[in-house]
Amino acid sequence: MLIKSEHALALLNIFEKDKEKLSYIVGTEKEEPPYVELELQNLARMEKPMEYTLTYWGKGLSELLTHMIDKGLISHPREWDPEFRWIGTEILTMIENALQNSNIPGALCEGELEKRGFIREEKIEGKGNIKVINGYAKDLYNIFKNAKPRLVVSRELYNYIQKTPTGPARFSLLPQEERFPQILESMRLIALSVPTHDIYTFTGLGQAVKETCKLLAASLDTVISEDIMYSLIKVMDEGKEALTPEEMEVLGALAYIDGEGEILPAGEALIRAYQIWKEKEFRPVKTFDIDILDAEVLKSINSIWEKREKEAPNLLPTIDEVINIMFLRPIKKYKHLFEYYGRRIYQDVGYQKKEEIRKKFDELKTIEEVFKSYYEKGGKWSEKIKEVIQHSLYTLESFNLIITGEEEAKKIYTVTKYGKKVVEDLKRRSVRGIPSSAVKAITISYREFASSNVDWYEKAKEIHLVGSGEPTEAGRLYADLAYNIERLPHLTRFELKVLHRIPEKGFFVSNVYDEFDEVWHEEIQYALGKLEARGYIDILQNEAIIITETGKLIKKALAGVPESMANPITPLVVRILKALYEVGGLYVKEKKIRVLPKNMKEVLKITGLDPETFDKELIIARKANLIGKTSVNEAGLLVLQSIGLL
């Protein structure tokens, strides 16, 4: 939806005539474009050429605007700057974000909403007077959600869509030819970023239409329309016999069907567009996150397997072998990991030693020596090294990039098909972290109307996920991974601390920072990325944080877990829970799954773990109160529920 001054004035013109039960007649063709765009938005209806009336939703929006003008919340449209966007996809996104967050838009967006008359003050217990969206904003959102837009693509618009990058990209890169950008936004084919439309992207519907345009034959003046889509659906449901000769001719000329009535690739693409347009089948926003250490560990495991296949058949990809690669070799080879290793030591010995640790990295030859220098006194340096690597191994398994197995009674790691794709990217484009926000810069576009924030977009560009106005090959890879990997729950000690401090609603990223000392800001950023990529939270465009249903279950399951546990829940613990579920019986009243002690060998076999690892993970599960001696407790059932098993 897009309402600038010209659209608002057009609405009010029709509204005045509507009161007299008359149509509004446009004076000249030059004045007509905003009326056409109102029709595309399902706010106006063309009764005859150059003659318009309001739809139900157009009348509602006209009344809303009139009331706001009368109350002094917004000036009359004739006083607006011609480029002032009273309503646009960025404004609707701000309102939607606020609705998801107890009506609170947050500091990033409240100023822009206030300019448009959509803010009021409310006293909230514990927060004082804060700005929330008003009833007009909610009414506007209701109109938007119910006014289904038209979908009409002319041959001229087809040419424009063909040459326009999909995004995310800077709005300045969007070709400003004729009124095509306004037409695309009117039909919800593109969306702009909050708070000031700096970034544009094709929406989920827009991408489906663009894909259709790549495949069709543009032989007619109109290449996509509702009538064309309905004809194509008839072919799919009833066969070509259901079509009139004229419909057969149109679909054939546009390469949607062949002479036998079989649906061609362009037709398949248009059916996908129809499903999004008609049924509003939008994909949920998912993302993916690995930091630079995770990337190095994954690459190291893969290199061990390559060496094993080529020259050392007895070599086992164990944690000790990974450590041998990561810690015993010259530090200069892993200089890019300095910040990560440094942060892990800061957390243990204190941030006041930051400069001292930096100096140590310059003086010593191997990373192992750095850990020895800080942990030798307690004899824990080897343990700390393993803990650092184990965190990454858990993370990689939680994102389905590796799988833990057993060989020669030892725990080994195998790279999955998804992990191999990531390794290939790391080899081709350099080892780097892939943060959640960068991947979300791409996947956010799959929604009905949403665009990447500037910060997300810049991060995606920096790590080569976006380039030339579209996702790169790497960007498409990580966006696909976000939807195709099978996640398993995992939380580190610090991630659990962060999750514990986030309420269900009314919280922003800045509020999380306020909960911790300033020195922890970098850790918080990493933790929030992991929590979002695992599906526990959503970080909205206005920087509000919403706990998902999965997050609520995990948070409840781990409510009583001591924050001192290094990994309160791990993918291997989840494998054990799943095996207990498979072998045992569910006792609904007791809220437990019970397994006979004699059947624990079967549980071990199903997990695929070596006995030592199985026993260690059982200890973690019991400390977290997920299981008893041989039973799954209520907290464990919540974890199973979070992955859809119950």
Side-chain angles (χ1 to χ4, degrees):
M1 186 178 283
L2 174 64
I3 303 294
K4 297 165 76 172
S5 61
E6 58 182 347
H7 303 99
L9 288 169
L11 267 179
L12 296 179
N13 288 340
I14 306 173
F15 187 49
E16 287 303 312
K17 287 292 183 183
D18 189 69
K19 291 176 184 176
E20 303 171 29
K21 308 295 183 186
L22 297 172
S23 300
Y24 178 81
I25 301 173
V26 181
T28 66
E29 286 188 9
K30 188 177 180 182
E31 298 170 4
E32 192 174 21
Y35 293 88
V36 172
E37 286 153 19
L38 290 176
E39 185 190 16
L40 291 173
Q41 298 176 65
N42 195 10
L43 299 175
R45 183 184 299 110
M46 186 195 297
E47 299 292 345
K48 298 176 184 176
M50 309 282 284
E51 190 172 322
Y52 292 86
T53 58
L54 291 176
T55 64
Y56 175 81
W57 303 112
K59 185 175 181 180
L61 184 59
S62 301
E63 290 173 346
L64 183 146
L65 176 57
T66 302
H67 290 163
M68 292 179 71
I69 293 169
D70 291 344
K71 287 186 175 290
L73 293 171
I74 188 81
S75 60
H76 195 281
R78 60 175 169 262
E79 298 173 23
W80 300 355
D81 184 293
E83 295 306 311
F84 175 65
R85 296 164 57 89
W86 180 51
I87 302 170
T89 45
E90 75 279 21
I91 305 305
L92 291 157
T93 297
M94 295 181 208
I95 294 172
E96 183 178 69
N97 286 176
L99 287 168
Q100 293 174 277
N101 194 44
S102 301
N103 298 327
I104 305 170
L108 183 67
C109 298
E110 62 187 29
E112 293 299 322
L113 290 173
E114 196 160 20
K115 287 179 192 175
R116 292 159 173 83
F118 296 130
I119 288 291
R120 67 181 178 85
E121 282 202 356
E122 181 177 296
K123 188 170 185 177
I124 296 181
E125 189 176 345
K127 294 186 177 181
N129 287 335
I130 66 167
K131 292 181 178 179
V132 297
I133 56 170
N134 59 25
Y136 293 112
K138 295 175 185 178
D139 290 342
L140 167 63
Y141 187 76
N142 183 55
I143 290 168
F144 169 77
K145 292 297 286 183
N146 286 284
K148 178 180 288 187
R150 301 283 310 280
L151 184 53
V152 183
V153 177
S154 65
R155 184 154 43 191
E156 293 75 21
L157 183 58
Y158 156 86
N159 289 330
Y160 179 83
I161 290 171
Q162 280 277 70
K163 68 182 181 183
T164 302
T166 305
R170 288 278 176 183
F171 183 69
S172 57
L173 292 178
L174 185 65
Q176 299 298 312
E177 293 180 20
E178 300 186 25
R179 298 181 68 97
F180 291 139
Q182 297 192 169
I183 291 171
L184 291 180
E185 194 169 4
S186 296
M187 292 192 291
R188 307 185 193 180
L189 302 186
I190 62 169
L192 307 183
S193 63
V194 306
T196 52
H197 63 275
D198 298 288
I199 306 296
Y200 86 89
T201 189
F202 274 68
T203 63
L205 176 59
Q207 290 177 50
V209 168
K210 188 173 174 65
E211 180 62 25
T212 304
C213 288
K214 287 181 183 177
L215 300 168
L216 64 82
S219 57
L220 303 176
D221 289 338
T222 299
V223 298
I224 295 175
S225 71
E226 291 140 50
D227 288 341
I228 290 171
M229 291 191 292
Y230 290 138
S231 297
L232 189 59
I233 295 302
K234 274 201 288 186
V235 176
M236 187 173 72
D237 291 343
E238 305 171 47
K240 70 173 184 176
E241 294 75 20
L243 298 180
T244 65
E246 292 78 11
E247 288 174 321
M248 275 287 292
E249 184 179 351
V250 168
L251 294 181
L254 295 170
Y256 289 131
I257 62 173
D258 63 17
E260 302 302 314
E262 294 295 319
I263 296 175
L264 297 172
E268 293 174 358
L270 186 59
I271 288 169
R272 285 193 291 275
Y274 172 84
Q275 289 168 337
I276 296 172
W277 175 77
K278 178 74 173 177
E279 308 298 335
K280 295 194 173 185
E281 294 181 0
F282 303 105
R283 298 171 82 181
V285 178
K286 295 188 178 184
T287 186
F288 178 86
D289 187 293
I290 57 171
D291 56 45
I292 198 163
L293 180 66
D294 304 329
E296 279 289 4
V297 170
L298 178 64
K299 192 178 172 188
S300 297
I301 294 170
N302 191 72
S303 69
I304 294 168
W305 277 102
E306 288 177 345
K307 186 175 181 181
R308 171 175 166 151
E309 290 166 5
K310 292 176 182 176
E311 57 188 84
N314 296 323
L315 186 64
L316 294 177
T318 63
I319 189 170
D320 291 329
E321 195 58 41
V322 173
I323 288 170
N324 181 55
I325 293 175
M326 300 290 296
F327 285 84
L328 305 184
R329 294 184 181 178
I331 200 169
K332 62 183 179 181
K333 186 170 181 179
Y334 293 100
K335 200 73 175 177
H336 57 290
L337 286 172
F338 161 73
E339 287 296 336
Y340 187 89
Y341 291 129
R343 285 201 317 275
R344 295 308 307 273
I345 299 173
Y346 307 153
Q347 291 177 35
D348 287 330
V349 304
Y351 270 79
Q352 67 275 14
K353 298 219 178 223
K354 193 169 187 175
E355 289 308 313
E356 181 184 328
I357 293 166
R358 285 180 181 275
K359 189 177 177 184
K360 282 282 187 188
F361 270 94
D362 290 332
E363 292 174 353
L364 302 174
K365 293 180 181 178
T366 67
I367 297 166
E368 181 195 47
E369 290 178 280
V370 178
F371 275 75
K372 276 186 179 181
S373 65
Y374 286 100
Y375 298 111
E376 184 124 44
K377 188 175 180 182
K380 292 184 175 181
W381 65 270
S382 179
E383 177 187 322
K384 286 294 178 181
I385 286 175
K386 277 199 171 183
E387 187 180 301
V388 168
I389 296 298
Q390 187 61 65
H391 278 316
S392 278
L393 292 168
Y394 283 143
T395 292
L396 293 171
E397 185 146 4
S398 74
F399 289 128
N400 202 8
L401 302 181
I402 64 169
I403 187 165
T404 304
E406 182 262 340
E407 188 174 327
E408 296 180 14
K410 291 184 178 180
K411 179 166 59 173
I412 66 165
Y413 302 95
T414 303
V415 181
T416 67
K417 63 179 181 179
Y418 301 119
K420 288 183 185 297
K421 291 180 180 180
V422 174
V423 169
E424 186 180 334
D425 172 66
L426 298 176
K427 286 180 176 179
R428 187 181 303 173
R429 299 178 183 88
S430 80
V431 176
R432 65 210 188 282
I434 308 294
S436 168
S437 58
V439 179
K440 193 170 56 172
I442 298 169
T443 60
I444 192 75
S445 67
Y446 300 155
R447 296 183 63 189
E448 182 176 6
F449 63 103
S451 178
S452 166
N453 281 358
V454 174
D455 290 345
W456 304 349
Y457 167 74
E458 291 297 342
K459 178 54 70 174
K461 271 189 69 177
E462 180 187 327
I463 61 170
H464 315 300
L465 301 192
V466 170
S468 302
E470 295 186 325
T472 61
E473 182 184 5
R476 291 192 295 272
L477 165 66
Y478 291 108
D480 288 344
L481 286 177
Y483 288 91
N484 293 326
I485 58 173
E486 183 182 348
R487 293 166 177 79
L488 290 175
H490 174 223
L491 276 174
T492 66
R493 177 194 297 122
F494 190 75
E495 289 161 9
L496 180 61
K497 284 182 181 180
V498 172
L499 186 61
H500 275 333
R501 284 160 175 76
I502 301 173
E504 287 189 16
K505 289 183 180 179
F507 223 58
F508 293 83
V509 171
S510 59
N511 298 130
V512 183
Y513 289 144
D514 292 341
E515 291 286 315
F516 293 83
D517 191 280
E518 189 176 345
V519 297
W520 294 101
H521 282 198
E522 194 173 16
E523 273 71 19
I524 291 168
Q525 183 182 346
Y526 278 86
L528 290 174
K530 286 290 195 296
L531 292 173
E532 183 171 36
R534 292 190 180 114
Y536 303 155
I537 63 172
D538 283 333
I539 301 177
L540 307 181
Q541 291 97 320
N542 67 348
E543 298 185 351
I545 303 176
I546 308 297
I547 297 187
T548 65
E549 293 305 313
T550 299
K552 291 174 189 175
L553 290 168
I554 291 293
K555 187 175 179 180
K556 185 177 178 182
L558 301 177
V561 174
E563 290 186 346
S564 59
M565 285 187 68
N567 290 278
I569 186 167
T570 75
L572 303 188
V573 163
V574 177
R575 280 167 67 174
I576 292 172
L577 289 173
K578 290 169 77 173
L580 289 166
Y581 170 73
E582 188 175 333
V583 172
L586 177 61
Y587 291 74
V588 178
K589 288 185 179 180
E590 291 181 278
K591 295 184 179 178
K592 281 189 176 183
I593 292 172
R594 296 189 180 278
V595 177
L596 295 174
K598 67 179 183 180
N599 291 335
M600 288 301 285
K601 288 183 179 179
E602 178 66 14
V603 172
L604 170 61
K605 183 179 177 183
I606 291 172
T607 64
L609 300 173
D610 63 280
E612 183 182 354
T613 301
F614 181 76
D615 289 340
K616 285 180 178 178
E617 295 294 329
L618 277 178
I619 291 170
I620 293 173
R622 286 174 182 141
K623 280 186 177 179
N625 197 34
L626 300 176
I627 66 172
K629 189 170 183 180
T630 61
S631 62
V632 179
N633 297 333
E634 184 178 356
L637 292 180
L638 289 171
V639 173
L640 290 173
Q641 189 178 342
S642 77
I643 57 174
L645 271 187
L646 298 178

